[in-house]
Amino acid sequence: MVQIAFYTFAALSLSGGLAVLFTRNVIYAAFFLLLTLLGVAGLFVLASADFLAVAQLMIYVGGVLVLVIFGVMLTNKTDPVADASSQQPNRIASQNRSTGWVISALVAGSLFAALFTLLARANFALLNQPVGWQSTVNTIGRQLMTEYVVPFEIVGILLLAALVGATYLASPLAKSFRNATR
């Protein structure tokens, strides 16, 4: 069963990556990137790297991908409005929309059923560990707060400096100041 899950996540990652590569629509590419990142997170879980899986989901899927999608959606240019005679309702277009909703609901339902069945029947190796087993999150947290506390704090200060610099460069006052000094 673990091999089936591995091949499923690997196929999801590869097919999503190829779809990102070959699609011309940026929104579709972002959604295919979502599938790729979810497949990689699944592979991390199967490799017992739970910290990397959670980081993959939280940082890339939860942050970067949502930022890309909102950026594309907010900057997407619309087509110019056609003449008023073409604005009349069209029965064929509304029929295609209702057919599209039915097909979308069937695809989403079958995908949900397949994934639910896979997760319900799966025997994940991570869950069958003995009680004394520690996750990688616990181990990484202990090492960051004991052995690597100085580099961890230096990285925190560096990220704070980058955030302050980015805020300064993006502020309207800085823009007006830069324009005044030219």
Side-chain angles (χ1 to χ4, degrees):
M1 190 56 112
V2 175
Q3 287 181 341
I4 293 172
F6 171 77
Y7 288 125
T8 302
F9 288 131
L12 185 67
S13 298
L14 289 174
S15 63
L18 287 173
V20 168
L21 185 64
F22 292 121
T23 187
R24 291 182 180 251
N25 190 340
V26 181
I27 293 287
Y28 291 159
F31 284 122
F32 286 130
L33 182 62
L34 170 74
L35 291 177
T36 304
L37 295 174
L38 288 175
V40 170
L43 291 172
F44 283 146
V45 169
L46 290 175
S48 296
D50 52 345
F51 178 77
L52 288 177
V54 170
Q56 176 85 9
L57 290 174
M58 296 295 289
I59 295 169
Y60 290 108
V61 175
V64 173
L65 189 63
V66 170
L67 182 67
V68 166
I69 290 173
F70 276 124
V72 168
M73 288 172 58
L74 292 175
T75 59
N76 193 11
K77 295 185 180 190
T78 58
D79 294 335
V81 179
D83 60 299
S85 64
S86 66
Q87 296 295 325
Q88 297 174 356
N90 191 352
R91 271 195 329 189
I92 296 173
S94 65
Q95 184 181 11
N96 287 340
R97 277 191 216 135
S98 63
T99 305
W101 280 104
V102 171
I103 292 172
S104 299
L106 288 174
V107 169
S110 61
L111 183 63
F112 174 77
L115 289 175
F116 182 77
T117 305
L118 176 72
L119 289 174
R121 293 183 182 176
N123 185 12
F124 293 106
L126 203 63
L127 300 176
N128 294 331
Q129 297 293 333
V131 176
W133 177 80
Q134 292 180 348
S135 73
T136 58
V137 176
N138 193 8
T139 305
I140 291 172
R142 285 183 194 273
Q143 286 184 344
L144 280 178
M145 292 299 132
T146 56
E147 295 177 43
Y148 301 107
V149 70
V150 174
F152 182 70
E153 291 296 328
I154 290 172
V155 167
I157 292 170
L158 180 66
L159 288 173
L160 176 65
L163 181 63
V164 169
T167 305
Y168 172 74
L169 291 175
S171 70
L173 180 62
K175 288 179 185 176
S176 63
F177 178 73
R178 284 191 305 264
N179 290 336
T181 58
R182 287 185 183 166

